[in-house]
Amino acid sequence: MLEITQGVPQGSSLGPLLFALYVTDLLKASAFNSTLFADDTVLSISSGNCIELQKLVNTELQKVGEWMRFTKLSLNYSKTSYMLIGPRGK
């Protein structure tokens, strides 16, 4: 049997609180607007120019990636998605 040296047990009552405390630094790590709810995080950012938005998002995602490596967190890719919102026809 392996000893667990990090993390919080799945389903614990303190899990969401500890996660929120742990990821608070994410708010400072990038220019994304961050919304935290329990163990979910929404990152958002806006721009009036699609090309500039793409560059900005890629830059900020690199910063988030560096933060995740530093904090030893991993991303669940199967639960990750993105959405572009803009006026119709553009």
Side-chain angles (χ1 to χ4, degrees), residues 9-50:
Q10 184 76 22
S12 72
S13 58
L14 284 178
L17 174 63
L18 293 173
F19 180 80
L21 291 172
Y22 196 68
V23 299
T24 300
D25 286 348
L26 177 59
L27 303 173
K28 300 173 192 168
S30 79
F32 280 119
N33 298 312
S34 303
T35 304
L36 306 173
F37 180 76
D39 63 350
D40 289 325
T41 304
V42 174
L43 302 175
S44 61
I45 200 160
S46 64
S47 174
N49 180 301
C50 194

Side-chain angles (χ1 to χ4, degrees), residues 13-85:
S13 58
L14 284 178
L17 174 63
L18 293 173
F19 180 80
L21 291 172
Y22 196 68
V23 299
T24 300
D25 286 348
L26 177 59
L27 303 173
K28 300 173 192 168
S30 79
F32 280 119
N33 298 312
S34 303
T35 304
L36 306 173
F37 180 76
D39 63 350
D40 289 325
T41 304
V42 174
L43 302 175
S44 61
I45 200 160
S46 64
S47 174
N49 180 301
C50 194
I51 302 296
E52 291 300 318
L53 178 61
Q54 183 179 11
K55 290 177 186 176
L56 182 59
V57 167
N58 285 331
T59 299
E60 296 308 313
L61 284 174
Q62 287 178 351
K63 292 178 186 178
V64 170
E66 290 171 14
W67 176 84
M68 291 182 77
R69 282 186 291 282
F70 179 78
T71 58
K72 298 181 182 171
L73 289 175
S74 60
L75 186 64
N76 185 339
Y77 291 101
S78 67
K79 293 183 176 182
T80 303
S81 60
Y82 72 93
M83 179 175 22
L84 295 175
I85 301 173

